[in-house]
Amino acid sequence: MKGRFPNKLFNVTLTGRALKDISPDILRGIRNPHLHFGMYNTSVSTVPKDVFDNAEWVRNVTVHLHHSDVRTLNNPSNGYKPGVPGKRFLLKLTVAGNYFTCDCDIGWMEDWQRKHRQYQEDRCTTYSEFKNFERDEEDDEFDCWDNGWDDDLRESFCLNKNNMSVLEALKTDLECGWGAADSVQAPHRSLLFFFFFFFVTVIY
């Protein structure tokens, strides 16, 4: 699926048991800053990170997996929070009922969960700033305390860990740390201070 898609297209849902692999270029033609990516009843086992990286125009992502064989979902985000210029951030993840291979390839979910919770709390106090930021696909009312992402991870499971919930595995069983392959971090303060100090020194 190459070429430029209509600007209004934001919902890409793949379905069918015959589908076993997806091309890294499948979302390259998206020209909408909002992307809803769904997979229903497919045989795809891995969603590569390149699928999202190649959607260069996208800034806000929602992912919905339902009755699929996806075992590895790579991080759709490359920004550490919503609204970073030129970066994507996962705003919603719906994976209840899915069975993953729980290793550090999905370890990013723990870091994302913390950042998403912080974002939810921030937007509760600054609704006027965020009210036009997200695309409300279901016309739901604005809800500051929607923590459905916790329930989804609690209701998805680890095939390789005796069907432990993904949420429990992230909390107690996976030790991926800050070095997880797809973890996206904010710029470290000490690094920012170094560049500021270096800049001031050169100017002086």
Side-chain angles (χ1 to χ4, degrees):
M1 293 178 65
K2 294 185 179 181
R4 180 171 177 168
F5 296 153
N7 292 345
K8 292 184 178 181
L9 178 66
F10 72 93
N11 188 337
V12 176
T13 299
L14 308 178
T15 185
R17 298 301 299 178
L19 183 63
K20 298 181 179 180
D21 297 288
I22 51 178
S23 168
D25 293 318
I26 194 169
L27 301 177
R28 188 181 293 276
I30 294 290
R31 291 297 182 268
N32 197 305
H34 305 278
L35 170 66
H36 174 87
F37 180 76
M39 299 184 68
Y40 173 74
N41 196 33
T42 74
S43 300
V44 175
S45 62
T46 299
V47 180
K49 185 170 175 57
D50 286 348
V51 166
F52 301 105
D53 285 346
N54 288 335
E56 297 176 353
W57 288 58
V58 172
R59 298 296 173 260
N60 311 323
V61 185
T62 64
V63 173
H64 177 72
L65 305 180
H66 185 58
H67 288 305
S68 283
D69 288 345
V70 173
R71 303 295 178 242
T72 299
L73 173 66
N74 283 281
N75 192 354
S77 301
N78 65 354
Y80 65 94
K81 68 175 184 178
V84 176
K87 300 294 184 179
R88 294 182 314 279
F89 191 79
L90 178 64
L91 295 179
K92 188 173 183 179
L93 179 64
T94 308
V95 293
N98 285 273
Y99 289 80
F100 293 98
T101 299
C102 291
D103 54 24
C104 286
D105 283 340
I106 68 164
W108 61 267
M109 291 182 182
E110 183 178 16
D111 188 38
W112 170 80
Q113 188 184 34
R114 287 195 300 267
K115 293 181 183 301
H116 191 273
R117 183 178 290 109
Q118 180 182 1
Y119 160 64
Q120 289 286 101
E121 292 172 354
D122 288 347
R123 76 175 192 165
C124 285
T125 57
T126 57
Y127 175 49
S128 60
E129 177 183 350
F130 287 107
K131 64 180 179 181
N132 293 319
F133 185 75
E134 300 181 47
R135 185 185 192 103
D136 191 348
E137 299 163 17
E138 300 175 356
D139 295 325
D140 291 335
E141 292 184 2
F142 179 80
D143 183 1
C144 286
W145 309 113
D146 176 16
N147 64 342
W149 64 90
D150 280 342
D151 292 337
D152 259 74
L153 294 180
R154 187 177 293 109
E155 295 171 9
S156 54
F157 307 97
C158 300
L159 270 179
N160 59 328
K161 296 185 181 295
N162 200 28
N163 292 336
M164 175 189 295
S165 78
V166 170
L167 185 64
E168 185 66 20
L170 291 172
K171 288 181 177 179
T172 65
D173 208 58
L174 292 181
E175 297 293 339
C176 298
W178 298 111
D182 287 334
S183 180
V184 179
Q185 307 301 329
H188 197 281
R189 290 183 180 179
S190 61
L191 185 61
L192 293 176
F193 176 79
F194 169 78
F195 283 117
F196 175 76
F197 179 78
F198 178 77
F199 177 76
V200 171
T201 302
V202 170
I203 294 297
Y204 181 78

